[in-house]
Amino acid sequence: MSCDIEIDINSEIDIIKENNPYHVAIIMDGNGRWATNKGKLRIHGHKAGIESVKRAIYFALKRKIKILTLYAFSRDNWKRPEQEVISLLDLFMSALEIEVKNLHKHDIKLRVIGDISCFNDNIQDLIKYSEMLTKNNDQLILNIAANYDGRWDILESVKKIAQQVHKRLLCPNQITEDDLISNLSTQESSSVDLLIRTGGEYRISNFLLWQIAYAEFYFTNILWPDFDENAFDIALKSFNLRDRRYGRILPNE
Ligand code: IPE
Ligand code: IPE
Ligand code: MG
C-alpha cells in the first residue's frame, strides 16, 4: 500500500525523547470553585488566579519554555453574569497595566490572541501598547487568549485565505497547511506540545483546536489559584514520560 505523504526519515530521532515542551498551553480553570470553597465571592478566585498567572509565566521563563499560551477569557464567557464579566475585564486590564513593564524587563514578548475588537478603546489601546513595547523580546512568547474561540480562529484564517484567492494572489488548489497556520492568531507559534487543564474537567472548551492536533494532554484536579511551581513541574515531568509517536512506531517496537 502506498501513500504520497512525504516522510522525513531523519526526523525519527525527534520522536525518541523530547525534553522540555517548546509550547505549553494552559486552560486556567477553577477560579470560581476555589473562591466558593472558601465561602467567598467568585471574583476573589479570579484575583487569586492572577497571582497564579504570574507564577506560571516566571516558572515557564525559568524552565526555558519558549511559548506559553494562557486561556484567560473565552468568547462563551460573555454568557456569565454581567458583573462577573465586568470584574474579569477590569482585572485583566489592571494586571496588564501593572505587569507589562516587568514582562518587558524579563524579555517576554506579549501577544493577545482572540477577537479584541469588541473590547473598549482603553483595553484595545493598552493591548496594542503592550504588544508594541515587547515585540522584539525573545526569551518567551506569551500569548494571552482573550475573547478567544478556536473555531473563530480557524474561520478567520479561512476568510483571510479566501481574500487572497479573491485577489488572485493564491490558487485554491495550492492552499497549504502553512497558509492556514500563518493566518491563525498564533501565527508561527502554532503547534502545542503540552496542553494543561486545571480544575478537573476533561474538555477543551473551544481552545486552540487546530494547534493541539498532536499536543500531549495533562488534566489535573488542582484549581487554578492553587496551581504552583510544584504542580507545573509535575506536569512537565509527566510530559517527559510520554512517547510522542506521530503515527509512527518507535525504533525498538
Ligand atoms: C476560569 O475559572 C476563569 C475563567 C473562565 C475566566 P472559572 O471562572 O471557570 O472557575 P470555575 O470553573 O467556575 O470554578
Ligand atoms: C474555559 O473555562 C475558559 C477559560 C479558562 C478562560 P470555562 O470554565 O469557561 O469552560 P467550561 O464552561 O467549563 O467548558
Ligand atoms: Mg470554569
Side-chain angles (χ1 to χ4, degrees):
M1 196 167 69
S2 77
C3 175
D4 58 0
I5 297 172
E6 267 183 49
I7 294 176
D8 179 3
I9 305 285
N10 293 329
S11 71
E12 193 148 304
I13 192 77
D14 296 346
I15 65 171
I16 295 173
K17 261 297 163 265
E18 280 147 314
N19 298 316
N20 250 358
Y22 188 83
H23 184 175
V24 176
I26 310 183
I27 301 174
M28 310 183 290
D29 197 21
N31 292 351
R33 279 164 286 162
W34 183 90
T36 308
N37 291 346
K38 291 182 158 28
K40 293 181 175 174
L41 296 173
R42 292 175 57 86
I43 188 65
H44 290 283
H46 297 312
K47 277 188 190 146
I50 301 265
E51 295 310 307
S52 222
V53 168
K54 288 191 237 166
R55 210 161 45 211
I57 293 170
Y58 292 105
F59 183 76
L61 194 65
K62 194 164 97 188
R63 291 298 297 266
K64 301 201 182 322
I65 288 162
K66 281 316 283 185
I67 307 168
L68 180 67
T69 302
L70 302 176
Y71 205 5
F73 188 81
S74 79
R75 292 227 300 178
D76 289 321
N77 289 148
W78 292 105
K79 295 172 190 159
R80 294 187 179 199
E82 195 184 353
Q83 196 47 53
E84 178 163 345
V85 172
I86 292 171
S87 307
L88 270 167
L89 294 181
D90 281 351
L91 273 178
F92 173 65
M93 171 106 177
S94 58
L96 188 55
E97 218 163 17
I98 295 167
E99 292 303 323
V100 65
K101 297 237 155 48
N102 274 332
L103 297 178
H104 187 45
K105 200 170 82 192
H106 286 91
D107 207 10
I108 296 170
K109 176 176 177 168
L110 175 85
R111 285 201 306 214
V112 176
I113 61 169
D115 181 6
I116 64 162
S117 65
C118 56
F119 291 146
N120 68 40
D121 288 350
N122 287 346
I123 301 186
Q124 288 193 44
D125 288 348
L126 179 63
I127 289 172
K128 283 177 202 146
Y129 164 77
S130 307
E131 289 182 334
M132 188 62 85
L133 180 72
T134 62
K135 75 176 192 311
N136 294 320
N137 296 344
D138 70 354
Q139 276 305 301
L140 171 73
I141 294 177
L142 173 64
N143 295 317
I144 302 285
N147 198 24
Y148 183 83
D149 172 323
R151 289 181 183 157
W152 164 86
D153 201 359
I154 295 170
L155 197 59
E156 287 300 300
S157 174
V158 170
K159 283 186 202 164
K160 286 176 199 149
I161 291 171
Q163 273 163 6
Q164 286 175 273
V165 171
H166 182 65
K167 289 180 190 157
R168 298 185 186 278
L169 297 170
L170 203 58
C171 257
N173 58 7
Q174 285 170 348
I175 297 169
T176 63
E177 285 195 5
D178 282 345
D179 292 321
L180 205 133
I181 289 166
S182 61
N183 286 297
L184 288 171
S185 61
T186 40
Q187 297 163 18
E188 75 287 352
S189 59
S190 73
S191 289
V192 171
D193 298 299
L194 172 63
L195 175 79
I196 298 171
R197 181 172 188 142
T198 63
E201 313 289 358
Y202 299 94
R203 55 178 173 255
I204 302 304
S205 301
N206 209 353
F207 199 23
L208 309 160
L209 299 179
W210 173 285
Q211 295 90 335
I212 58 170
Y214 264 107
E216 297 295 326
F217 288 7
Y218 180 85
F219 296 102
T220 170
N221 288 331
I222 296 173
L223 302 173
W224 176 248
D226 291 329
F227 189 80
D228 58 12
E229 283 98 346
N230 186 44
F232 203 155
D233 202 37
I234 291 170
L236 294 180
K237 286 199 172 102
S238 166
F239 174 84
N240 262 298
L241 296 172
R242 314 277 178 96
D243 288 323
R244 304 186 77 193
R245 291 191 279 275
Y246 300 99
R248 294 173 279 193
I249 53 171
L250 295 173
N252 57 353
E253 278 179 333

